[in-house]
Amino acid sequence: MGTGRLYAAVAAGGFRRYATYRVATAAGVFTNTVFGFILAYTYLALWHEKPHLGGYDQAQALTYVWVGQAMFAVMVLGSVGFEEELIERIRTGDIAVDLYRPVDLQLWWLAADMGRALFQLLGRGVVPMVCGALFFDLALPSGPLPWLACLVAVALGALVSFAIRYIVALWAFWLLDGAGAMQITWLTGVFFSGMLLPLNVFPGALGDLARILPWSALLQAPADVLLGEADPLGTYAFQLAWAVVLLAVGRLIQSAATRKVVVQGG
Amino acid sequence: MADLDERADERPVARGKEAAEEENPFGEYGVYSRVRDGLRAYRMIAAMWIRSTMAYRASFAMTTFGNFAATSFDFLAILLMFSQVDELGGFALPEIALLYGTSAVSFGLADLMIGSMDRLGRRVRDGTLDTLLVRPVPVLAQVAADKFALRRLGRVTQGLFVLGYALATLDVVWTPAKVLMIPLMVCSGGLIFAAVFVGGAAFQFVAQDASEVQNAFTYGGATLLQYPPALFAKDLLRGVTFVLPLAFVNWVPGLYILGRPYPLDLPTWLAFAPPLVGVACCALAGVAWRAGLRSYRSTGS
């Protein structure tokens, strides 16, 4: 009970922290919208050349573009989130203080990151989506149910996104400088989440591989639920399975790391 | 590319006696000496950052590779598209590779030289810009060289690979003018993008938190130019031709090489205008930078 309230407060803190930067949020919305336009035009050309590519019609492809822009900040597909700060704390040795605290390190960061994700969904997700719907002919569901189903998939996707980035951050216990690791993970994420191109457009075995990797839980899964192209329950099971596995791996690495922790600079 | 920093200077620099006694045809506070000061400061700061980067060599190797891979993935997306279709907007793969390569190299050069400009907003917010103001070194040179990231060579290298592929596979009758056009495009394109970086930084004196707006024009512009102009709406084309002349980075000269008309019926000779456009953009960006710097109020912290 008491701990539940604690993590809720941490999540609220994560939300408020990002809500403070209103100009930055507006700037992010602007950028996501600009990129949405560029991508939408290229997809229009692509689907004009080959209608029903990857099983999407043109309106679905355009919808996918704008879902991608809405998920960009939520899933941390083009920047870095808490992991940069965590790596810095590991590098400087401040992590020793965190480990003394009577809270769980992983749950603490998870709560903060979920607060952040919720803010990004409201602050940076809604407006690009509305812009896209105003300027292009999108295949948006009319009833509330597909939207709700999509929201659940978004929440589970955010959980997977956190789990991946937590593992990356813990590498810093061994590497000390996490920039390279962060960048490589970021690239893999952009490619395999479907941010560059929907995964169903990927040819053959590459497409099959991309479909089963955890990153497909971040963008492809919520988009397909919204578009009615995927069964929500099956999608949730897939996302949840990856979340559980990755969170467990993160926990294992965490306990290994804290056993070997060498405090820098004391 | 070195003359990117021609606009490096915005205030007369307080200089020592011995410097004033040096031979200098333009006088103590002349353009010539200010440019030279700026370039020298830029070189020294950049060299310092390179040495500091090399303290973590493994990480440097990884981030340079990551930088290379980032743009490679970009082109991979285009290759994936072409695994499904034969042309995009009427353009074949080598033609798009030409647009992609020229956009990537010119943007990469500007990003390498002054890509750190987008940190200006943070400096204005946290007050560390004040430190730069009191140094007897041009502020633009300091901001441009701040955190100079050699790893950005990864992006340039990747662009050169794609450009090489385009030149090897393109079905074009090469005239001397068309051959000359390639280096001309890349250099002037770099100037245009550099002007966007500086203009964006000037905007951050006002907006502070809005470095992402700059990304829309730098990264967004570079992405836009990777595709044929015919894909986009006429209004968007007018905007990037007449307002923010990104079209002169590679669309206008590139379509001349490919022997295709520009969608907005521009006269052909404009294909040779990029150097002029680049210099004009830089001059305007310089004016914007001065205005921005003059409007700067410290946070006082």
Side-chain angles (χ1 to χ4, degrees):
Chain A
M1 171 62 210
T3 50
R5 248 202 323 241
L6 169 74
Y7 292 118
V10 173
F15 185 97
R16 271 203 305 275
R17 179 172 172 187
Y18 281 84
T20 317
Y21 301 109
R22 265 167 288 186
V23 179
T25 304
V29 165
F30 176 75
T31 306
N32 287 146
T33 308
V34 168
F35 270 92
F37 270 96
I38 297 173
L39 280 177
Y41 284 122
T42 61
Y43 280 33
L44 272 174
L46 192 57
W47 262 265
H48 172 78
E49 209 71 45
K50 197 164 184 179
H52 302 289
L53 178 59
Y56 286 168
D57 61 28
Q58 197 184 65
Q60 284 178 310
L62 290 175
T63 313
Y64 184 91
V65 168
W66 292 100
V67 173
Q69 291 308 313
M71 288 301 108
F72 186 75
V74 177
M75 303 297 175
V76 200
L77 288 170
S79 58
V80 287
F82 76 91
E83 62 272 24
E84 191 173 35
E85 197 183 337
L86 180 53
I87 287 172
E88 188 61 14
R89 291 189 76 78
I90 293 172
R91 201 178 62 77
T92 56
D94 288 343
I95 192 75
V97 182
D98 299 344
L99 290 170
Y100 263 122
R101 295 204 176 108
V103 287
D104 184 82
L105 194 67
Q106 194 184 29
L107 279 178
W108 171 281
W109 287 105
L110 174 63
D113 197 52
M114 289 302 113
R116 177 207 57 82
L118 180 62
F119 173 76
Q120 301 288 31
L121 183 65
L122 299 173
R124 285 185 62 169
V126 176
V127 178
M129 197 78 198
V130 171
C131 262
L134 285 178
F135 282 91
F136 295 92
D137 198 9
L138 302 188
L140 294 173
S142 46
L145 264 180
W147 286 102
L148 282 176
C150 175
L151 274 184
V152 176
V154 169
L156 288 170
L159 198 62
V160 175
S161 162
F162 165 81
I164 295 171
R165 289 176 292 124
Y166 191 72
I167 293 174
V168 175
L170 291 183
W171 285 13
F173 272 110
W174 288 271
L175 291 176
L176 292 182
D177 183 65
M182 275 200 299
Q183 192 171 18
I184 286 172
T185 329
W186 166 66
L187 286 171
T188 325
V190 168
F191 187 71
F192 284 114
S193 65
M195 195 68 213
L196 285 180
L197 212 56
L199 300 181
N200 38 354
V201 176
F202 283 28
L206 183 64
D208 296 338
L209 175 71
R211 281 285 189 171
I212 55 169
L213 290 176
W215 290 282
S216 72
L218 307 189
L219 170 54
Q220 189 71 46
D224 276 344
V225 169
L226 186 72
L227 292 169
E229 288 286 309
D231 161 48
L233 292 180
T235 306
Y236 300 161
F238 171 80
Q239 292 177 299
L240 205 56
W242 268 120
V244 168
V245 169
L246 293 169
L247 287 171
V249 170
R251 189 146 283 267
L252 272 177
I253 300 177
Q254 180 186 328
S255 62
T258 49
R259 260 182 275 120
K260 70 136 273 184
V261 73
V262 177
V263 177
Q264 302 255 327
Chain B
M1 286 306 295
D3 50 356
L4 285 183
D5 295 274
E6 261 172 38
R7 299 143 288 107
D9 214 345
E10 47 298 308
R11 299 168 308 150
V13 179
R15 307 180 67 215
K17 232 184 212 158
E18 65 284 359
E21 280 161 11
E22 277 174 30
E23 239 180 282
N24 186 346
F26 298 99
E28 191 184 353
Y29 298 117
V31 175
Y32 170 74
S33 67
R34 287 191 296 160
V35 170
R36 198 191 46 194
D37 276 3
L39 285 179
R40 193 167 146 268
Y42 177 88
R43 242 191 351 260
M44 286 170 67
I45 300 170
M48 182 196 77
W49 280 109
I50 292 173
R51 280 198 302 279
S52 126
T53 312
M54 290 306 163
Y56 296 101
R57 270 173 204 275
S59 199
F60 170 73
M62 276 170 93
T63 49
T64 306
F65 173 76
N67 204 273
F68 179 89
T71 30
S72 303
F73 276 12
D74 235 22
F75 190 63
L76 200 55
I78 293 177
L79 288 179
L80 286 176
M81 290 182 184
F82 275 90
S83 75
Q84 309 281 0
V85 296
D86 296 326
E87 47 181 41
L88 201 59
F91 280 61
L93 184 58
E95 296 175 294
I96 291 193
L98 176 73
L99 295 179
Y100 180 99
T102 45
S103 165
V105 174
S106 50
F107 177 69
L109 288 173
D111 187 44
L112 174 70
M113 293 298 176
I114 61 171
S116 307
M117 295 294 296
D118 61 359
R119 298 174 53 80
L120 183 86
R122 192 186 300 184
R123 282 195 172 277
V124 171
R125 275 202 310 281
D126 65 16
T128 49
L129 188 67
D130 294 9
T131 325
L132 308 189
L133 290 171
V134 297
R135 289 188 195 140
V137 174
V139 180
L140 186 59
Q142 295 185 62
V143 177
D146 187 30
K147 296 230 165 192
F148 182 86
L150 198 60
R151 63 165 183 274
R152 290 181 179 139
L153 273 177
R155 182 186 291 277
V156 180
T157 316
Q158 192 271 342
L160 285 173
F161 272 120
V162 177
L163 186 56
Y165 162 78
L167 296 180
T169 52
L170 265 181
D171 189 18
V172 163
V173 183
W174 290 99
T175 62
K178 287 185 178 182
V179 174
L180 189 71
M181 189 65 94
I182 300 285
L184 192 78
M185 265 164 97
V186 169
C187 295
S188 334
L191 279 183
I192 296 174
F193 273 123
V196 177
F197 271 109
V198 173
F203 172 66
Q204 288 186 55
F205 277 112
V206 189
Q208 300 191 11
D209 253 3
S211 65
E212 285 241 36
V213 170
Q214 193 169 341
N215 291 347
F217 293 103
T218 51
Y219 290 91
T223 309
L224 182 78
L225 297 177
Q226 290 166 2
Y227 295 93
L231 259 56
F232 301 100
K234 279 268 156 53
D235 283 333
L236 185 64
L237 292 186
R238 283 189 197 104
V240 294
T241 307
F242 302 114
V243 183
L244 185 71
L246 290 175
F248 290 90
V249 170
N250 68 348
W251 275 350
V252 178
L255 292 182
Y256 167 79
I257 292 177
L258 298 176
R260 291 169 185 250
Y262 189 66
L264 292 186
D265 298 326
L266 297 181
T268 316
W269 58 265
L270 272 180
F272 296 90
L276 289 178
V277 175
V279 170
C281 286
C282 286
L284 282 174
V287 171
W289 171 261
R290 275 165 198 253
L293 192 65
R294 224 173 291 131
S295 76
Y296 173 67
R297 298 263 179 283
S298 171
T299 56
S301 58

